[in-house]
Amino acid sequence: NDPAISNLELLAAIPEWEVALPGGDTASQTDVLAITRNLLGLVILGVEAKVDETFGPTLAEKKTKASEGQLGRITYLEKELGRVEPFPESIRYQLLHRSVSALLTARAFHAPVAVMLVHSFSPSSAWREDFETFCDELICHKLTSDLYEVPGIPASRLLLGWCKGNEKYLET
């Protein structure tokens, strides 16, 4: 029932959307970038599709043998997400850079709303607990059982969402 994300019209869907992030050679690669709009304006959706794979290494794993640039990237991501304190090392790194990628893309398009949406095709909703822990660490406002708003993000509104894909597409 949120007017900012209701009645969205898809303008473009771009697979493997890359967003350059400081501190490394590798861009963040979103599975699908959806540029949408409604009467209130543009909404950017960065879709991360999952079946049973994790959200990548934990921050502890990522920091092991990390270069100065990679450590700087983690600090940058935390700052963009409004963190004053570093995340616990059990948080999954991919959740940080996919969320910031959606946010940076929204800013580039002057969209007032960014959404990082996990589209899970896992029959057991594998890794949902990692997603919810990430939302808890960001002290998100729970809008629905599957949609959270990250507080304190300047210039754009950042929403984190989880949706469950139809399992029939696992066989297609």
Side-chain angles (χ1 to χ4, degrees):
N1 294 328
D2 189 323
I5 56 172
S6 295
N7 302 312
L8 294 175
E9 172 190 2
L10 179 64
L11 300 175
I14 304 164
E16 304 303 331
W17 178 260
E18 292 186 3
V19 175
L21 298 171
D25 298 329
T26 307
S28 182
Q29 198 165 18
T30 301
D31 291 332
V32 177
L33 173 74
I35 303 170
T36 67
R37 73 170 179 199
N38 63 15
L39 294 175
L40 297 178
L42 288 177
V43 176
I44 298 297
L45 287 99
V47 180
E48 181 60 29
K50 293 290 183 192
V51 179
D52 287 319
E53 70 272 22
T54 69
F55 290 106
T58 64
L59 287 174
E61 293 164 342
K62 188 72 175 170
K63 289 177 182 178
T64 302
K65 298 182 185 177
S67 69
E68 261 187 59
Q70 291 168 328
L71 293 173
R73 177 180 280 193
I74 292 169
T75 300
Y76 168 81
L77 296 172
E78 290 174 330
K79 182 181 174 200
E80 285 293 323
L81 292 169
R83 294 289 294 192
V84 177
E85 300 282 327
F87 278 103
E89 297 213 326
S90 60
I91 295 295
R92 297 280 176 178
Y93 174 70
Q94 192 180 63
L95 291 167
L96 275 72
H97 71 87
R98 291 294 190 267
S99 298
V100 172
S101 293
L103 185 59
L104 295 177
T105 302
R107 288 180 189 157
F109 281 94
H110 302 281
V113 180
V115 180
M116 191 284 288
L117 180 67
V118 176
H119 192 186
S120 174
F121 289 92
S122 169
S124 65
S125 293
W127 310 109
R128 169 112 191 201
E129 186 175 313
D130 286 345
F131 171 80
E132 289 177 352
T133 299
F134 178 62
C135 293
D136 289 345
E137 280 298 324
L138 285 169
I139 312 169
C140 291
H141 303 294
K142 191 171 191 175
L143 303 176
T144 71
S145 61
D146 296 316
L147 186 65
Y148 302 80
E149 183 168 1
V150 181
I153 302 293
S156 291
R157 192 172 168 205
L158 177 59
L159 303 174
L160 306 175
W162 182 281
C163 70
K164 191 154 166 97
N166 191 324
E167 293 175 29
K168 76 178 184 179
Y169 294 111
L170 291 173
E171 304 296 322
T172 302

